[in-house]
Amino acid sequence: MAKRERVIRMSVELPLWRALTAYRVLTMLYAVLVFVSEYRDFERPWVGIAFLSVLAVWTLATLPRVANAASCTKRFLGVDLAVALTGILLTPLADTDAHLVNGPTLPTIWTAGSVLAYAIKGGWRWAAFASSLVAAANLVERGTPTRDTLHNVLLVCIASIAIGYVVEVARASEATLARALEIEAATRERERLARDIHDSVLQVLAMVQRRGTALGGEAAELGRMAGEQEVALRTLVSSGLVPTTRASEDPALGALVRTVEYDDVVGGADGAEVDLRTLLAPHAGSRVSLAEPGAPVLLAPPAARELAAAVSAALDNVRRHAGESAQAWILVEDWGDEVIVTVRDDGPGIPEGRLAQAEGEGRMGVALSIRGRLRDLGGTAELISVPGQGTEVELKVPRGKAKA
């Protein structure tokens, strides 16, 4: 999270530091030009020459210091402000009494750059502190405050405090955005793990429960225990407390479920697109018909894997709720800009309100394994079911988003 905050903060503050760097160089040149143009009016010009020489060297030598917040340390800010205040207080030594009435100080508007550095670094409170010292130095240098002096001092104070406040608001927004991004990433990871658990552990536990109940005897007790563990695990999944470790495969249970592995087909080192038809072909059988285009349906490996897993989850729901004798059909359509996969069955259908009830009970098959996967791909999953006429699940994946 800290790394993300640093990246976001740099993206927002970096233009301010760059602008400050340019401002310091330009105002330093401006101060030199003002002094040169009014050289004859100075009673002790050598004082101005000495200070502006120091100012020029200091400005150019410290450009890396105002490149970012990390380089702009408190010590640097203190020395930089001291240079500006020294220039203001040295002005009476170099200038004549007549020139003091309306003339600028030796550093002129370069002083505002020191105050702005405080504002960008520490916010409006730091800006108020620095601008107060500059105001005091100007009042001491003038002796008798004039309207122009008060006007300039007030302008620097208001501008620096306003910029400091904006910087604080930006930083607060950055922290909120970083936190939101972290929560979103954690939520997506929990949902992904929940889908994996649903597609493996929960399905196995449900299978053991059904088979154990059907066999009776000691197997029934084993089925009862598996059912209790299934309920407990579903509660964890629905509450968001998903374990971060994957369940290990048990060869004894592997014979009870039919698993389609994608690792040999998807996710090669070269990241080349894969044919979705290859991933869906293992599902075809005596009770599952697969209709597909004659040409390859190419998708990015992650998108192809998630779409195939969503199809597998839909077929698991058919076998679980429509019965082992139900017939299912898979239709794959490639429309160029999007890929559509439809899974239909001739089962009894889903009663109205059953999906919402299932989600409330922690049965997240449709919500996580199907809709969640399609949402992560930028696609949609529509479920249409009429009691007595079967169920149809339509999965749409925009090809542009699927490649991202």
Side-chain angles (χ1 to χ4, degrees):
M1 177 178 176
K3 182 177 180 181
R4 181 181 297 130
E5 285 182 349
R6 287 197 300 269
V7 172
I8 296 176
R9 177 173 294 182
M10 181 177 293
S11 66
V12 173
E13 292 188 7
L14 188 57
L16 295 177
W17 289 110
R18 287 176 176 172
L20 179 60
T21 301
Y23 178 87
R24 288 168 64 88
V25 174
L26 293 176
T27 53
M28 180 269 294
L29 296 175
Y30 174 77
V32 172
L33 292 176
V34 169
F35 176 79
V36 171
S37 65
E38 300 180 358
Y39 177 82
R40 298 179 183 276
D41 296 329
F42 283 85
E43 183 178 308
R44 300 179 185 89
W46 61 268
V47 176
I49 294 174
F51 172 76
L52 291 174
S53 298
V54 172
L55 181 66
V57 173
W58 172 258
T59 301
L60 297 177
T62 59
L63 289 181
R65 288 288 190 173
V66 290
N68 52 64
S71 301
C72 188
T73 61
K74 293 182 180 179
R75 178 178 298 179
F76 163 76
L77 289 174
V79 176
D80 192 63
L81 185 60
V83 171
L85 297 178
T86 300
I88 295 174
L89 297 176
L90 282 177
T91 303
L93 298 178
D95 209 348
T96 63
D97 291 339
H99 190 70
L100 283 175
V101 176
N102 296 312
T105 59
L106 287 176
T108 63
I109 58 176
W110 185 92
T111 305
S114 297
V115 179
L116 291 177
Y118 272 83
I120 300 175
K121 173 70 175 181
W124 72 269
R125 293 176 180 84
W126 287 31
F129 168 76
S131 60
S132 297
L133 294 181
V134 170
N138 275 279
L139 294 177
V140 170
E141 180 265 336
R142 294 298 182 184
T144 302
T146 63
R147 185 178 62 182
D148 291 340
T149 301
L150 294 177
H151 171 78
N152 294 335
V153 168
L154 185 61
L155 181 62
V156 172
C157 289
I158 294 177
S160 60
I161 292 175
I163 292 176
Y165 179 76
V166 170
V167 169
E168 289 190 359
V169 171
R171 286 174 179 167
S173 300
E174 290 163 5
T176 303
L177 176 60
R179 180 59 179 165
L181 292 175
E182 182 188 14
I183 293 175
E184 180 184 8
T187 301
R188 289 184 178 274
E189 181 63 14
R190 284 199 301 267
E191 290 184 355
R192 185 188 67 80
L193 292 174
R195 289 196 296 263
D196 291 344
I197 292 174
H198 177 273
D199 294 346
S200 56
V201 182
L202 289 177
Q203 302 254 353
V204 171
L205 291 175
M207 180 73 73
V208 172
Q209 180 188 21
R210 292 197 301 271
R211 293 292 178 86
T213 302
L215 293 174
E218 295 183 357
E221 177 63 16
L222 179 62
R224 184 189 65 79
M225 295 175 61
E228 292 177 353
Q229 295 302 312
E230 179 194 5
V231 172
L233 188 54
R234 287 188 186 277
T235 302
L236 282 174
V237 171
S238 61
S239 64
L241 302 176
V242 182
T244 57
T245 56
R246 293 177 181 273
S248 59
E249 295 183 0
D250 189 338
L253 294 178
L256 296 178
V257 294
R258 181 186 180 199
T259 304
V260 179
E261 297 292 345
Y262 304 118
D263 293 340
D264 294 335
V265 184
V266 178
D270 56 357
E273 292 183 330
V274 297
D275 189 355
L276 179 63
R277 302 179 306 170
T278 306
L279 304 183
L280 299 181
H283 293 296
S286 59
R287 299 197 178 278
V288 179
S289 300
L290 176 62
E292 58 190 20
V297 182
L298 299 178
L299 287 173
R305 180 175 61 249
E306 290 296 286
L307 183 55
V311 172
S312 179
L315 292 175
D316 287 339
N317 285 336
V318 172
R319 287 190 292 268
R320 184 172 182 176
H321 301 292
E324 296 292 339
S325 61
Q327 185 72 31
W329 295 267
I330 303 175
L331 173 63
V332 181
E333 301 175 272
D334 188 351
W335 293 96
D337 58 341
E338 66 177 358
V339 175
I340 302 176
V341 179
T342 305
V343 180
R344 295 184 56 199
D345 66 72
D346 60 357
I350 303 176
E352 185 177 356
R354 177 56 185 151
L355 289 179
Q357 179 183 356
E359 291 186 18
E361 296 172 352
R363 301 180 180 275
M364 310 294 285
V366 174
L368 290 178
S369 292
I370 300 178
R371 288 175 179 163
R373 280 191 164 96
L374 271 294
R375 184 189 64 244
D376 290 347
L377 295 177
T380 59
E382 296 184 8
L383 189 146
I384 302 174
S385 181
V386 178
Q389 300 183 23
T391 303
E392 177 178 309
V393 179
E394 185 180 71
L395 312 174
K396 293 183 179 181
V397 177
R399 179 168 263 110
K401 294 184 178 180
K403 290 181 180 179

